[in-house]
Amino acid sequence: MPDLAVVDRQLVDAAVELARSRFPDGEQWSGAAALRLDDGTVLTSVAPQPPNVAVSLCHETGALCEAFKRDRRVVASVCVVDAGAGRGHWVLTPCGVCQERLFVYGPDVAVGVPEPQDPRRWRSLRLRDVQPHWFARVFPEDPWPYGGAGE
């Protein structure tokens, strides 16, 4: 059985497919996200584009809410954006807010991180490796929040 807790081509393709179907091809910085659940289900979502950008949401938000609604654990997450001008879709590291949202599922959630030389390429890292100085690590007497083991 393949490792579900990894950002792989299937997960990236699911996000790119949604972005392409939802937004005009080449619409710069349009994007989508894909999350894999512990049962192998892939959820995708896009963010609404409100007139007031101060109330914007991340692309991951809808899929995270759906995972919570289903009472399933997220094991992998990726966000992509169309870089425009024929540059293809780039993988983005989850923003700090989305990292906090994903930490609900523990430090071993896999996230897509772009390769600096070519953001169309990515690697799969665990949240614990993306954010080694996460604020909750300063509380050694507390177990890792939400049921995981702290390190």
Side-chain angles (χ1 to χ4, degrees):
M1 182 174 185
D3 183 6
L4 297 177
V6 66
V7 175
D8 57 13
R9 172 58 59 193
Q10 177 195 24
L11 205 60
V12 172
D13 285 351
V16 170
E17 181 180 320
L18 176 59
R20 284 185 173 147
S21 70
R22 180 61 184 82
F23 299 104
D25 221 15
E27 184 177 322
Q28 190 169 10
W29 310 125
S30 61
L35 279 62
R36 183 174 292 118
L37 306 180
D38 57 353
D39 66 356
T41 301
V42 173
L43 303 175
T44 59
S45 59
V46 295
Q49 298 173 330
N52 180 349
V53 296
V55 298
S56 295
L57 299 171
C58 297
H59 292 300
E60 296 94 334
T61 306
L64 283 164
C65 289
E66 182 67 19
F68 182 78
K69 180 180 91 177
R70 294 181 184 201
D71 195 23
R72 300 303 313 194
R73 190 169 63 84
V74 174
V75 297
S77 175
V78 68
C79 182
V80 300
V81 296
D82 188 329
R87 295 182 291 174
H89 284 83
W90 293 358
V91 169
L92 297 180
T93 304
C95 73
V97 172
C98 284
Q99 287 182 41
E100 288 295 320
R101 292 172 178 153
L102 289 165
F103 266 121
V104 167
Y105 301 101
D108 290 320
V109 173
V111 296
V113 177
E115 291 291 346
Q117 305 81 6
D118 183 358
R120 292 171 299 180
R121 298 176 50 86
W122 74 92
R123 44 192 173 130
S124 183
L125 294 178
R126 303 282 181 224
L127 277 174
R128 72 172 68 244
D129 299 322
V130 172
Q131 199 178 88
H133 304 286
W134 187 51
F135 81 95
R137 288 185 166 187
V138 302
F139 304 106
E141 67 280 357
D142 293 334
W144 190 273
Y146 310 106
E151 289 185 17

